[in-house]
């Protein structure tokens, strides 16, 4: 039992809908880097149901002990122990990723860090890669629901640099790194999953 480890009910609620998208988005990938793995619930679920992938979890060092313990207990052959990865300071993993996944991170990162995250995609991903970003987004500068507006206010009360990001700005940052939007999926609880692909230019 993992009752002694951090637990996210939201991860339990959204892992199956996310998996449905990842089964398509990462079908051609051999390895995936997850940025900001949190409790590790997503990593376990996706590694278990995408056995063709090596799923590399990562997070800031402060979150690693519990994440590492959950992954150790799972003992899945395609789920190695997590890597320390502070997107602002740590070097990239030795193995570049054919897929990159991150969930509920962009609204937590201050906007300059969001920019930095995208600027590092070229060193984190292979020449051909898929990028999947899950979380809430605004469209045309507008909240998509009252609950998202309340969530944004709650985030800003904790730190004014936090907040739900505008999808148009996120798309622009991705395009600047060679990633083009393939699909924008509606997800539970007024969230979205943005699937981008990068192809070798020649």
């Amino acid at each position: 039992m993992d009752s002694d480890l951090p637990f996210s009910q939201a991860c339990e609620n959204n892992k199956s809908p996310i998996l449905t998208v990842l089964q398509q988005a990462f079908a051609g990938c051999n390895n995936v880097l997850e940025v900001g793995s949190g409790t590790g619930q997503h990593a376990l679920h996706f590694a278990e149901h995408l056995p063709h992938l090596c799923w590399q979890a990562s997070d800031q060092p402060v979150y690693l002990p519990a994440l590492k313990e959950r992954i150790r207990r799972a003992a899945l052959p395609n789920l190695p122990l997590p890597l320390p990865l502070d997107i602002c300071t740590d070097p990239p993993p030795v193995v570049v990723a054919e897929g990159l996944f991150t969930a509920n991170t962009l609204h937590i990162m201050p906007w300059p860090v969001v920019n930095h995250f995208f600027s590092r995609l070229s060193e984190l991903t292979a020449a051909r890669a898929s990028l999947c970003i899950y979380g809430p987004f605004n469209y045309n500068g507008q909240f998509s629901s009252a609950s998202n507006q309340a969530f944004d206010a709650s985030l800003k009360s904790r730190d004014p640099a936090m907040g739900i990001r505008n999808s148009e700005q996120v798309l622009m940052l991705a395009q600047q790194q060679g990633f083009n939007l393939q699909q924008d999926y509606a997800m539970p609880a007024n969230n979205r999953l943005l699937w981008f692909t990068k192809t070798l230019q020649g």
Side-chain angles (χ1 to χ4, degrees):
M1 297 294 291
D2 295 330
S3 58
D4 59 320
L5 296 176
F7 176 83
S8 167
Q9 187 59 50
C11 283
E12 290 302 301
N13 295 345
N14 64 37
K15 65 185 184 181
S16 292
I18 294 175
L19 176 63
T20 299
V21 175
L22 299 190
Q23 287 171 329
Q24 177 184 3
F26 293 152
C29 299
N30 293 307
N31 65 321
V32 167
L33 171 65
E34 181 182 8
V35 174
S37 298
T39 65
Q41 292 163 248
H42 277 161
L44 264 63
H45 187 72
F46 301 151
E48 181 180 3
H49 289 87
L50 299 168
H52 71 286
L53 285 176
C54 175
W55 190 278
Q56 180 62 67
S58 73
D59 214 319
Q60 298 178 62
V62 67
Y63 300 117
L64 280 187
L67 174 61
K68 183 176 181 179
E69 180 60 18
R70 175 169 266 119
I71 289 175
R72 185 195 66 78
R73 293 181 191 180
L76 295 175
N78 62 329
L79 183 63
L81 292 178
L83 298 175
L85 183 59
D86 183 319
I87 203 68
C88 291
T89 59
D90 289 328
V94 174
V95 178
V96 293
E98 295 176 7
L100 193 148
F101 174 76
T102 192
N104 292 320
T105 55
L106 299 193
H107 57 269
I108 300 297
M109 298 176 183
W111 184 246
V113 179
V114 174
N115 279 268
H116 192 68
F117 165 73
F118 280 95
S119 73
R120 297 197 67 187
L121 288 181
S122 60
E123 61 178 322
L124 294 172
T125 59
R128 299 178 185 274
S130 283
L131 166 66
C132 290
I133 302 175
Y134 174 88
F137 293 96
N138 291 338
Y139 289 82
N140 298 314
Q142 301 297 314
F143 293 104
S144 61
S145 68
S147 61
N148 276 4
Q149 185 171 9
F151 179 51
D152 182 78
S154 173
L155 289 169
K156 286 183 167 60
S157 71
R158 292 165 50 192
D159 184 341
M162 294 181 181
I164 295 177
R165 307 308 177 189
N166 290 318
S167 64
E168 295 83 6
Q169 292 178 298
V170 171
L171 265 59
M172 182 181 68
L173 291 174
Q175 289 170 350
Q176 289 172 351
Q177 302 302 320
F179 284 87
N180 295 306
L181 184 67
Q182 293 297 310
Q183 193 73 38
D184 179 346
Y185 295 93
M187 304 297 284
N190 300 303
N191 288 302
R192 312 291 297 190
L193 197 154
L194 309 181
W195 171 29
F196 302 87
T197 59
K198 178 180 68 170
T199 57
L200 185 65
Q201 301 297 314

